[in-house]
Amino acid sequence: MPIVLAASNLVDVRPGLIFWTLVTFILVALLLRRVAWGPILKVVDEREKSIAASIESAKRERVEAERLLAEQKEAIQKARSEAAEMMRKNAEDVEKLRAELVAKARAEAEAHKTDALREIENERARAVNDVKNVAADLAIQITEKLLNKQLDDKTQKDLANQYLSEVSRTTAAPGRTGPKV
């Protein structure tokens, strides 16, 4: 039964104990309010303000990040369009250069062709003159043999000139390729 006795002491009402308990509680509450509650509430208020400031800062930073992201997207789009424009211009430049090179090559080929034709014409004219000179010499030699005599220089020149003029006339006539001997 000693256990029951101890339990009965706890439930006994003692007015002196209640009074001193209340006085102690009020003193501790006042002391805590003066010493602990002020700094605790001050720390809680500062923490609340810090959290609110952090939230506002996070909101501002989020808005700024969204703005920067939009700017980045715009810059990327602008860079892509500039790159596409540069590629298009480069393709045009390459095509122009190719066209210029083709035109230049054609002009050079035409110039070479013209030069070659002129050179061929010059060589043909030289060959014709050489043939005329050889033909004149042969005509003189044949004439000398036919006449069995040596021609003097003046007669030889006259005969050569006459023969050359005859050769020139027959070469200039259409459908004729040279003199008949």
Side-chain angles (χ1 to χ4, degrees):
M1 296 264 190
I3 297 175
V4 176
L5 287 176
S8 65
N9 284 339
L10 288 176
V11 281
D12 288 341
V13 177
R14 296 187 204 160
L17 182 61
I18 292 173
F19 173 75
W20 286 113
T21 303
L22 283 174
V23 169
T24 305
F25 178 76
I26 291 172
L27 286 175
V28 169
L30 290 175
L31 182 66
L32 282 176
R33 184 173 182 199
R34 183 164 285 259
V35 175
W37 283 111
I40 288 174
L41 289 177
K42 186 178 177 183
V43 168
V44 168
D45 286 341
E46 287 176 7
R47 181 70 179 148
E48 184 180 340
K49 288 177 185 176
S50 171
I51 289 172
S54 294
I55 290 172
E56 284 301 314
S57 175
K59 285 180 182 178
R60 283 191 309 272
E61 288 175 2
R62 181 176 182 200
V63 168
E64 180 68 16
E66 287 173 352
R67 184 186 63 79
L68 290 175
L69 180 62
E71 287 178 6
Q72 287 292 329
K73 286 181 180 179
E74 183 179 321
I76 288 171
Q77 183 62 31
K78 184 178 178 183
R80 284 181 180 160
S81 64
E82 286 176 359
E85 181 66 20
M86 289 176 70
M87 291 291 285
R88 187 188 59 77
K89 284 183 181 178
N90 285 342
E92 287 176 1
D93 291 345
V94 165
E95 184 59 30
K96 285 179 185 176
L97 180 61
R98 185 192 68 77
E100 288 174 5
L101 289 175
V102 166
K104 185 177 178 182
R106 285 183 180 157
E108 286 178 4
E110 190 63 33
H112 287 311
K113 180 182 171 184
T114 304
D115 290 343
L117 288 174
R118 187 179 8 209
E119 185 67 28
I120 289 170
E121 186 59 33
N122 289 341
E123 287 298 319
R124 189 184 72 75
R126 264 189 248 136
V128 167
N129 283 336
D130 289 345
V131 167
K132 286 179 182 179
N133 290 336
V134 167
D137 287 344
L138 285 174
I140 291 171
Q141 288 175 4
I142 291 172
T143 306
E144 281 180 355
K145 286 184 183 179
L146 286 174
L147 296 175
N148 274 335
K149 65 176 181 175
Q150 190 71 16
L151 298 176
D152 63 353
D153 283 342
K154 185 178 182 297
T155 310
Q156 190 177 10
K157 284 184 182 177
D158 289 340
L159 276 173
N161 287 334
Q162 181 184 1
Y163 182 74
L164 285 176
S165 63
E166 187 178 318
V167 167
S168 296
R169 275 188 309 226
T170 56
T171 355
R176 305 276 311 252
T177 56
K180 291 187 178 178
V181 179

